[in-house]
């Protein structure tokens, strides 16, 4: 028996606009207002928070996503727009955004904080063989280390034993 045919389950949002606001104090400041009519006409619904409509994101992640410059987590996936929204469609909502503490979508980090990110700079090597602890200067195999107690015993044995 074949798989049932695909059908539209109505998750698309074609008629909405971004507005600024933060009703719960932990949102990213960007809210979504949908319309009944085509092309932002007709009756507007009450604005809903970003986390309720899409996926929880803090302000830096949401603005990076909307400007097409950042790949962000979206559930089990990663998402990125291939182009930015037009400036007239993106209000500057930074004044409404949660910036400290447990914000929806995660804590807002300092721009210089690289914790948890992939290291992108070049990793340089000294050129030494990592298997050789003595480095690149010696090609001789490393000598086994003799502990200080063993060395002292050898010296004492040489002093006590008569020469033959």
């Amino acid at each position: 028996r074949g798989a049932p045919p695909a059908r539209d389950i109505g998750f698309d949002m074609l008629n909405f606009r971004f507005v600024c606001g933060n009703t719960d104090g932990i949102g990213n400041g960007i809210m979504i207002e949908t319309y009944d009519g085509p092309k932002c006409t007709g009756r507007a619904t009450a604005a809903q928070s970003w986390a309720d409509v899409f996926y929880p994101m803090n302000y830096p992640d949401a603005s990076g996503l909307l400007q097409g410059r950042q790949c962000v987590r979206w559930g089990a996936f990663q998402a990125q727009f291939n182009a930015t929204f037009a400036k007239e469609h993106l209000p500057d909502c930074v004044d409404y955004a949660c910036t400290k503490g447990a914000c929806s979508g995660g804590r807002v980090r300092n721009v210089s904080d690289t914790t948890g990110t992939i290291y992108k700079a070049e990793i340089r090597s000294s050129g030494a063989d990592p298997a050789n602890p003595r480095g690149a200067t010696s090609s001789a195999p490393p000598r086994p280390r003799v502990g200080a107690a063993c060395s002292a015993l050898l010296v004492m044995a040489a002093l006590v034993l008569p020469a033959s």
Side-chain angles (χ1 to χ4, degrees):
R1 195 170 162 171
R7 62 185 167 98
D8 183 10
I9 52 177
F11 283 123
D12 56 345
M13 264 178 87
L14 304 175
N15 199 16
F16 70 95
R17 73 176 182 148
F18 297 116
V19 293
C20 294
N22 192 351
T23 55
D24 57 8
I26 60 169
N28 62 19
I30 304 170
M31 298 186 78
I32 289 81
E33 196 173 69
T34 58
Y35 290 91
D36 290 339
K39 297 184 182 177
C40 295
T41 60
R43 188 170 158 219
T45 63
Q48 294 178 289
S49 73
W50 177 281
D52 290 341
V53 176
F54 298 123
Y55 185 79
M57 280 183 213
N58 57 33
Y59 184 77
D61 289 347
S63 62
L65 172 72
L66 295 173
Q67 293 171 5
R69 62 178 166 75
Q70 186 174 347
C71 184
V72 298
R73 190 182 79 214
W74 195 293
F77 304 100
Q78 298 286 324
Q80 182 174 10
F81 288 123
N82 61 358
T84 185
F85 276 75
K87 292 276 187 201
E88 61 269 13
H89 298 297
L90 286 178
D92 185 11
C93 299
V94 70
D95 294 336
Y96 296 88
C98 172
T99 57
K100 292 181 182 154
C103 300
S104 177
R107 293 186 181 278
V108 178
R109 296 188 308 196
N110 185 337
V111 177
S112 63
D113 184 7
T114 58
T115 306
T117 60
I118 296 172
Y119 184 72
K120 295 183 179 180
E122 178 185 1
I123 298 175
R124 294 199 268 166
S125 171
S126 65
D129 179 9
N132 183 358
R134 297 185 72 166
T137 58
S138 174
S139 60
R143 292 184 306 164
R145 291 186 165 249
V146 178
C150 292
S151 298
L153 287 174
L154 290 174
V155 170
M156 285 177 34
L159 293 174
V160 173
L161 295 174
S164 43

